[in-house]
Amino acid sequence: RAWAINEIDRRRRQQAAAWPRSRKSTMLAIILALPALVVHHNDIAPSNALKLRGGVALDTKTLNTINGLYHVGFGAALYADPNAFADSGASPIKYTADAEGPVGAFTSRAFGAMMLALSSAAYFDPESTGVLKAFAIAEALFTPILVKNIQDGEPAFKKKMWIFQSFVHIPLAALMLFKAFK
């Protein structure tokens, strides 16, 4: 058992040497870059009834912006540090145990890269219904994985955090599917 723990520690040190030295500085850089995001004013005026309720218009541009922000946060963090949301990660939000070895690091970074790519589509073409449909499909495909993570629970997955995430992700996925394919 001690050998296995030493082997895991050795692998983590190798991973850390291959990427930025300080996870805290990486997370700080990501947080400081987020205010640079420019959200364009929506030219479509909400109806008077919508204004009275204090609501917002859920047009394609608004939904793409919401999803772009949702995906860029997770994507940038995982791309920079495959254990960003794991036990040893700099984020206070913990979803999983640490990624195991180079395959785990690759998988987390690849997932982060795909989330970044998807979020960039909303930046480059904010009014695209194709981008809206891509977000809807991606979120729908991730939903059964999220449910499985809740079912599997500890020690690999932090069940309470995944339950909390489901309260954000599942309604957003349902809204996206409804709006994209109405």
Side-chain angles (χ1 to χ4, degrees):
R1 182 172 169 97
W3 176 85
I5 292 170
N6 289 335
E7 181 63 20
I8 291 170
D9 287 341
R10 185 185 65 78
R11 288 180 185 171
R12 285 186 187 151
R13 285 192 299 274
Q14 287 175 339
Q15 287 175 353
W19 281 82
R21 297 275 183 223
S22 170
R23 290 183 179 153
K24 289 180 182 176
S25 65
T26 302
M27 290 302 289
L28 180 62
I30 292 167
I31 291 168
L32 291 175
L34 287 178
L37 176 71
V38 176
V39 180
H40 299 284
H41 177 68
N42 189 354
D43 294 335
I44 301 171
S47 68
N48 288 335
L50 190 59
K51 286 180 185 176
L52 285 174
R53 291 192 319 240
V56 296
L58 293 177
D59 60 341
T60 300
K61 186 175 181 179
T62 302
L63 291 171
N64 282 343
T65 301
I66 291 168
N67 279 283
L69 293 172
Y70 179 61
H71 286 80
V72 77
F74 289 108
L78 288 172
Y79 188 73
D81 176 11
N83 287 317
F85 301 107
D87 290 333
S88 67
S91 172
I93 300 169
K94 307 295 183 197
Y95 286 100
T96 64
D98 287 347
E100 289 293 324
V103 174
F106 164 78
T107 304
S108 292
R109 281 202 174 96
F111 182 53
M114 296 305 131
M115 291 181 82
L116 280 172
L118 191 56
S119 66
S120 71
Y123 176 75
F124 292 120
D125 198 359
E127 296 185 20
S128 169
T129 56
V131 171
L132 185 69
K133 289 177 181 183
F135 278 126
I137 292 168
E139 290 167 10
L141 290 172
F142 186 75
T143 300
I145 297 169
L146 184 148
V147 171
K148 180 79 167 106
N149 291 349
I150 293 170
Q151 291 171 345
D152 290 347
E154 302 289 340
F157 301 103
K158 311 301 181 208
K159 186 175 184 171
K160 289 180 182 176
M161 196 64 226
W162 284 105
I163 290 171
F164 173 76
Q165 181 68 29
S166 71
F167 285 112
V168 175
H169 181 85
I170 293 173
L172 182 62
L175 173 66
M176 293 303 296
L177 287 167
F178 175 75
K179 289 291 197 171
F181 297 103
K182 61 180 175 175

